[in-house]
Amino acid sequence: MSGDLEGVVLKPRSYQLRLVDHLTKHNGIVYLPTGSGKTFVALLTLKRFSQDMDKRLENGGKRALFMCNTVELARQQMVAVQRHTNLTVGFYVGDQGVDEWTRGQWSDEIQDHQVLVGTAQVFLDLFTQSHMTLSSVSVVIMDECHHGTGHHPYHEFMRLFLCAEKNKALPRVVGLSGVLIKGNEIKQVVKKLKELEITYRGNIITVSDTEEMENVMLYSTKPKEYLITYPSQERVFLVTQSIQSQIQQFFATLDLMDIGVQPVRRSKSLQCQRDPQKKSSIKQLFNDFLFQLQEYGIYAASIAIISLIVEFDLKRRQAETLSLKLMHRTAMSLCEKIRHLLVQKLRDMTDEDDDPDDKVNTEEVILSFSTPKVQRFLQYLKTTFANKDPKDICCLVFVERRYTCKCIYGLLLNFIDSTPELRNVLTPQFMVGRNSISQDFESVLDRKYQKSAIQQFREGNANLMICSSVLEEGIDVQACNYVLILDPLKTFNMYVQTKGRARSNNASFVLFSSELDRGKISQQIAQYRTAHAEIAEYLKDRVLERTEPEMYEVKQHFQDVIQPFINEHGAVLLPSSALILLHRYCQSMPTDAFGFVIPWISSLQEDQRKILFGDCARSKEVVSIQLPLNSKLKNTIYSDPMDSVKAAKVSAAFKACKLLYQLGELNERFLPITLKERVAAIADVHFEHWKKYGDDVTATVRKDAPKIVRNYKTDCPAEFYDARPRVGELCYAYEIFLEPQFESCDYTEHMYVNLRTPRNYAILMRNKLPRLAEMPLFSNQGKLHVRVANEPLKVVIQSSEQLELLHQFHGMVFRDLLKIWQPFFVLDRRSKENSYLVVPLILDADQQKCIDWPLVTKFQRLPQAEHSSVHQRKQQTAPRPEDFEGKIVSQWYANFEQKRMLVTKVHRELTPLSLMEQNHQDKTYYEFTMSKYGNHIGDVVHKDKFMIEVRELTDQLNFYVQNRGKSSAKSKARAKIILIPELCFNYEFPGDLWLKLIFLPSILRRMHFLLHAEALRKRFNTYLNLHLLPFNGSDYMPKPLEIDFSLKRNVDPMGNVIPTDDVEEPKSLLEPMPTKSLEMSMGSLEITELENSWQTYMEPVDLSRKLLSAYPVELDYYYKFTMGQVAKLEKMEFEDREYWTESQFKMPKGNIYGSGTPTMINTNLAALMPSTPTVQGAVKPLAILQKTVSGKHITPAEQGEFLAAITSSSTADVYDMERLEILGDSFLKLSATLYLANKYSDWNEGTLTQVKSKLVSNRNLLYCLSDTDIPKRISTILFTPRYTWLPPSISLPHNVLALWRENPELAVMVGPHNLRDLALGEEESMVSGHCSDINYNNFVEGCRANAQSHHAGADFSAEVNFCVGLVTIPDKVIADTLEALLGVIVKNYGLQHAFRMLEYFKICRADIGKPLTQLLDLELGGSKMRANVNTTEIDGFLINHHHLENNLGYTFKDRGYLLQALTHPSFPTNRITGCYQELEFIGDAILDFLISAYIFENNTKMNPGALTDLRSALVNNTTLACICVRHRLHFFILAENAKLAESIAKFVQFQESQRHRVTNHVRILLEEADVQSTTLDLDDDLDMTDLKNALKSISHEEEKNDPPKGDFNMSTNVDVPKALGDVLEALIAAIYLDCRDLQRTWEVIFNLFKPELEEFTRNVPINAIRQLTEHKHANPVFSSPIIDQDNMMVSCQFTCMEKSIKVYGFGSNKNQAKLAAAKHALQKLSKCDA
């Protein structure tokens, strides 16, 4: 059609210009025969209307629309517009997912593009959803506009002109057509043409006079027409008849086949039921085959049958159920048989029977086994084209059916091959229309093959194209010189279009017809020609100057029974689009793989019509629509009585859509409301605090989003702020007691004795402290308890000199004694954060403690150790024993002046000349020392004096964790060190005080966070009104801090965590399983965009073009490729249903995890439970629940628990938040669930789940907690006092500190090296606290220079933050803290109080009159529905419900809950309660919370990681499914779905092979939620026999009582049906709602889960990801997730049998997808390990 556009510059022909002139003034339908440049007229018109196209719409800009009828045409027109205009073009077809686009996306598209090209439906939606108004369009061009009749989108689009606002400019309408008439409507030409003009509000315009007409005809096509006839009688082969009768027989059996419950399909008029699709498609294929056999003969049929075999094989592999597989397999075997018969027949011609099959492909065989028609056709080809130049040939062959194309193509290939005259002349290709709209692999492949076929034809690589009707319209192929019509032409359109293809000069247009039909065809052609003439006649009067259709004509034409519905936003709901919309709405509902959600549409009988509408409706049609169970619209909708079923369907659907719009299920554009919109709608209620942090809850998380590191100011406890003592005011000195908890022995004695002396220290401050918990510390000698005195010593400082003395002493302690001093520290006298002082205490004469002033005065600085020469020592007085007792010394002569030692004993009985003990017994102390250090010492002066025994003091300053030191260290300490006193430097500082001061940093830091914890404790108690309880108020005595023994931690002397040596060996992955042969795994393919994303070499062979040579392997690959999935294994019938009639409800008894191997459940064994209710003794109540019920059980929330809750695991302390966080996390899930189910009871479960996950997401918790001051109080840093701790009353120089306040840009650049370069003098650091100006300026310069040096861009915050009171905390830690705090409240105060904390943190807001404490009294949306239903109606659905209640161990008061919990979404008849989804949502959270509470209370020694694993092992879907099946609950599920039933049956059978245990094999089964349809399974095909044997082997084992060998090969790929777990969760919710008692609910859960609770606690299952990473040879690597709408995909590459294999996992979030990938990999490994 636009073939003539290939030229570079197009010159407008005169008639085209005249048409364009007309179109600038009026609407019009341009009628020009094919090939006379309609497209060009359109392009010229676009240019004329382009004046406002470069403006934005709001400034009065305009856009142009170019609508097409098919995607292919749209592509072609887009290329034309791009090639011949300078306008920007946008291209929109349904395949691109434009339906999902948001308003924003559309408005961008509309701003950016001036001409929008696309298919009509897309544009219709664009306007009905009011993304754009008609007034902003300048011109609309509709290609092939003769389609615009009936409800075609063209026609509906023109209807919108009536809905447009008054007085706004409407766009110019330009129709293009080469035919004017649709199909065969050649009877009332004139009437049809008139209607067309009215529809498009313009006249049909063509050329004004005959001369011009001639002109057009010159430009246009005039081929010669031939009619070739062939004899009508033909030989009838017996084989043909036998094949026909066999196919008929097969049809008869097919009708009787039971293929399970398929969706009911009604005929269009809803009168009769159609065959289920699966059957009718088989019949269709066979009928097609028979057609080929009849029309083209045996030879063609022998090719066609292969095509069928291929189809059926693919279908068989795709079949979801066993019965469908069987059906396709039967069809296949019939085809095989037919092919055999046909080939036999062809062989009759050849001489020997044992010739290869190719022998039959000779010209002679082909001709003799073809029908006269084909013979004629082949002869024509041979005579016409023999030995021509292939370049001169361009031939199109039209056939009627898609299949014929492939078949004739195959036949031609062989014919050309066997005919030398044609061998190098003809190259055939074929093309068929697209049969599927759906975007699957096959259609994409098809399109790709099509494209390459057309490409070849255009480029002349192929010169004979066989095509079905697809090429009639618009596909652009260059001028052809031969058009052959092989099958009779059916319509006028086909005639005009096909003839229009013969475009070159002296082209031939050849029709084939049998002699019998010759007359008929001639007559038909004559009719067609008259129609052509009539159109010409009609148009003759239609010269350009005519009046346009009147408005009243237009209105009459669009007169409609149902008026469109326009909402207040200007969007239009057209009746014709209501049905599609309804289906789209249903697809947006949540469902599992088995609940197909479609509206149920049925036609009413006469009597029902009469009841509803009275007698008038008797002759009319009425249709009812029911929406799926989980829709908000529960009632049945009836249409108005209409004349036809079609109209009635539209009427009902239209009503339903209007109702959905009123219910808020459709948005203002009449589209189903998406999750995003739902979340956005409530964002202001629940998520407004996100905006403060520049985040939006509806924004998708980009996976490459930069990690924002958040800094928090560290908060100083109120008691420590402005605490500096003041002269003359009363101050408080809190003494700190250290009490050893270890026995005194040789090794520990010095510690033991010195810690218990009366000399001590206190912290002196202006403020009073609350009572603080006693805390544990660990020295090398053992554990100590540290207590802060409850009652302080009252002190008044007399003068500022005294205060200065104290401050200098305080500085000395940290600087000289503990050496926690950086060169940039100064004494801080500002009385800001942490401004207390450390003072020494001593007993006075009256045995009262007081400040030790002499010590303070003496030690303003610690003396420096110095060398002394022999000469100096001679001058000095001799050392005296009493000066050394209990003092601290260091050896100046050795290289450790740094090593401080405590004198533990003075040996007056020894002298330097005494002999040594132990190893060096032959030497005296003097000789030994001289031999080692002689040249340092010179000589010892006082050789007759005493000796001293010393112990080294530890360098460690972090004493939080027990140091598992090596024993050698202890023995070293035990070896006595005896020194010569003269050679030691004596600091004269009291040793006991020094020893106690070593623990000071650890104590002060812990006090800091304890005070924070205490503040939170008071704050929360007050908020909850629990501060009035005596044990929480003034009487509160904090319990000592508890060590959390579930944390295994070791610390090296530097305070760093070291890994434990005793890491357990990873367990073997799985008991090996018998394997079939190993298969190489084929990568799963993802289509990301329309053009193909896979590499060409991965593409399967194009089957239809290589039919005859396709090998089974290629077939197999093609199938895997197109499915994107390896076939599921043969499914099998569950034969032994009858088996179970006797005992199907009974449950296995005894300990199923016992060490013995209890026999398989077998009906002839009495190993079944007697049918009595399963009550197994009383269940221990959960403490948390008792606290919820009554105040009696409440325990005070301890200071220590709050401390743990604000301590992250990175601090490596003996307690942290992890355990509490597990409890808080499940509580949060529970409360969010109850809260949402209460507040939005009419939402569906998918939306609720989505909003819930947003509500409990780390991001939400982060922002909630950031609104409080708690993040500033969290302890996250490993305590390393020498590097990252700022001691009290010490700071940076004040002018340097001011930088962070006054010049933050510069402060960011400060590095630790700049601070060290400050090199403060004594005056600056000890006295003024300021840094001198010259120093300060150098410092600032240094910082600025960082930007240029190698430090550029470095982040120093980690090393500098601590000096300025900042701390970096990962977002997750903050979220965890919130959960842990909730955990503390739940654990001690129960649920009710914890619900109130949600309001404190602003996670949930209470509604008026509905305090959060009432969350547990929730009302269900569904219960409103069944207020007036009587129990007999409910029991009508619940057959044998007492068996179910027995197995559950609970009897229902209101069985409505039970019924709802059992109703699967695919069960349409229960309209009383709706389906189980809303119950499942609640049950999931209740179960999760109760199980978490149980394992939290009962496993205090289990570490948090294992607790989390244990919890997920207990509540994951697989375990739930196993428990559901073990208690036989699956028999009661109400569902109508063959696939689900079969999937459950298969799982049940697998579970029986596993003796109903949750084994490792079960754990790595994939839930169907994990597996999208693209993952690869293991063996794609087990033979039926293999399968039967596998099953047999299971049943044999039962008979022989052997333990099962797990012979149920992994490859029989069992899925865990999600429905089983869902039903169990729903039942739990039903029980709770029925009894409103969590304790009772817990009893039921406990009895259901007891075996797993016991087994898993003993032996925690590792989750699949860890299992895989710990596997010896796997070395898995996970990819980062690929996001596709709401799904994520993660691939995992691992090694198996020294090959690298890649598998894929899918899930709704990253972790789920990763887990699925890991399970997948484990399944593969378990086969290899065998």
Side-chain angles (χ1 to χ4, degrees), residues 322-518:
L322 174 76
S323 39
L324 289 177
K325 276 218 162 152
L326 206 66
M327 175 169 88
H328 288 114
R329 169 160 295 147
T330 334
M332 243 177 92
S333 50
L334 174 62
C335 295
E336 298 277 6
K337 200 156 143 199
I338 292 175
R339 165 147 168 86
H340 186 68
L341 287 171
L342 294 171
V343 175
Q344 272 312 108
K345 189 72 196 153
L346 298 179
R347 286 202 156 178
D348 290 353
M349 292 281 296
T350 57
D351 314 325
E352 288 84 33
D353 270 353
D354 47 2
D355 273 4
D357 272 5
D358 305 350
K359 253 307 179 42
V360 299
N361 298 341
T362 60
E363 185 181 351
E364 180 192 7
V365 175
I366 294 176
L367 286 174
S368 39
F369 284 106
S370 292
T371 54
K373 170 159 142 185
V374 178
Q375 292 170 355
R376 240 17 222 282
F377 168 62
L378 295 175
Q379 283 156 1
Y380 176 82
L381 290 182
K382 196 165 162 183
T383 49
T384 317
F385 297 133
N387 302 323
K388 277 206 179 158
D389 178 355
K391 288 200 184 50
D392 297 343
I393 301 174
C394 181
C395 171
L396 284 175
V397 179
F398 280 99
V399 296
E400 189 186 338
R401 308 197 177 196
R402 294 169 51 99
Y403 271 104
T404 313
C405 284
K406 298 186 186 175
C407 167
I408 294 286
Y409 170 71
L411 179 121
L412 275 182
L413 278 179
N414 289 338
F415 180 71
I416 293 169
D417 210 34
S418 58
T419 317
E421 302 92 312
L422 296 178
R423 195 165 294 150
N424 298 320
V425 182
L426 286 182
T427 317
Q429 237 330 336
F430 76 93
M431 221 186 121
V432 289
R434 275 180 64 190
N435 63 336
S436 61
I437 318 296
S438 68
Q439 194 43 43
D440 54 7
F441 282 107
E442 299 209 44
S443 64
V444 172
L445 274 174
D446 262 355
R447 263 237 318 279
K448 179 157 183 194
Y449 295 148
Q450 298 281 39
K451 262 186 161 162
S452 65
I454 295 184
Q455 208 51 42
Q456 284 181 7
F457 189 61
R458 281 192 190 148
E459 291 164 359
N461 296 341
N463 53 11
L464 180 139
M465 172 74 92
I466 307 158
C467 38
S468 64
S469 53
V470 62
L471 268 183
E472 296 168 30
E473 280 186 17
I475 299 285
D476 179 31
V477 174
Q478 83 277 45
C480 301
N481 48 14
Y482 294 92
V483 175
L484 315 181
I485 308 291
L486 195 55
D487 290 338
L489 281 175
K490 291 275 166 73
T491 68
F492 171 58
N493 255 9
M494 274 182 78
Y495 171 69
V496 177
Q497 296 275 17
T498 49
K499 190 169 156 189
R501 295 276 165 204
R503 272 191 217 162
S504 20
N505 300 335
N506 62 34
S508 315
F509 178 70
V510 184
L511 294 153
F512 287 87
S513 135
S514 77
E515 287 165 354
L516 280 181
D517 296 344
R518 183 176 187 154

Side-chain angles (χ1 to χ4, degrees), residues 1297-1465:
L1297 199 53
L1299 267 185
W1300 270 263
R1301 233 186 9 263
E1302 293 154 15
N1303 189 347
E1305 283 76 38
L1306 182 61
V1308 175
M1309 299 162 75
V1310 177
H1313 52 285
N1314 304 111
L1315 289 171
R1316 279 192 219 100
D1317 295 346
L1318 276 170
L1320 302 174
E1322 189 78 4
E1323 156 72 17
E1324 293 166 294
S1325 64
M1326 287 311 197
V1327 185
S1328 73
H1330 264 334
C1331 144
S1332 65
D1333 291 348
I1334 181 163
N1335 245 342
Y1336 179 71
N1337 293 333
N1338 289 344
F1339 168 73
V1340 172
E1341 281 316 298
C1343 296
R1344 291 226 160 85
N1346 282 345
Q1348 270 64 52
S1349 71
H1350 63 281
H1351 294 297
D1355 176 16
F1356 299 118
S1357 57
E1359 302 165 75
V1360 178
N1361 272 350
F1362 78 96
C1363 319
V1364 291
L1366 289 175
V1367 60
T1368 306
I1369 308 181
D1371 292 351
K1372 180 168 184 330
V1373 171
I1374 294 200
D1376 290 352
T1377 304
L1378 198 158
E1379 292 178 336
L1381 287 167
L1382 286 174
V1384 176
I1385 302 291
V1386 176
K1387 171 176 183 274
N1388 295 292
Y1389 298 152
L1391 288 165
Q1392 248 68 353
H1393 291 296
F1395 287 144
R1396 289 202 43 212
M1397 289 312 296
L1398 298 173
E1399 212 162 350
Y1400 174 82
F1401 289 121
K1402 301 201 174 64
I1403 297 172
C1404 304
R1405 315 283 153 95
D1407 294 342
I1408 298 132
K1410 251 183 142 179
L1412 290 180
T1413 43
Q1414 294 175 10
L1415 274 184
L1416 285 168
D1417 317 334
L1418 82 164
E1419 273 303 306
L1420 274 200
S1423 47
K1424 302 191 210 35
M1425 287 168 42
R1426 57 158 202 271
N1428 47 11
V1429 177
N1430 56 25
T1431 46
T1432 47
E1433 253 183 278
I1434 290 179
D1435 290 350
F1437 289 109
L1438 294 169
I1439 301 160
N1440 284 340
H1441 58 82
H1442 53 275
H1443 282 300
L1444 170 66
E1445 294 179 328
N1446 262 342
N1447 287 359
L1448 270 178
Y1450 179 83
T1451 311
F1452 281 87
K1453 300 196 272 291
D1454 172 356
R1455 282 196 288 278
Y1457 290 121
L1458 177 59
L1459 173 58
Q1460 183 171 357
L1462 294 169
T1463 305
H1464 186 265

Side-chain angles (χ1 to χ4, degrees), residues 21-41:
D21 286 337
H22 174 88
L23 291 173
T24 39
K25 306 191 206 65
H26 311 281
N27 294 344
I29 299 169
V30 178
Y31 166 62
L32 290 172
T34 309
S36 42
K38 294 190 294 290
T39 305
F40 192 55
V41 176

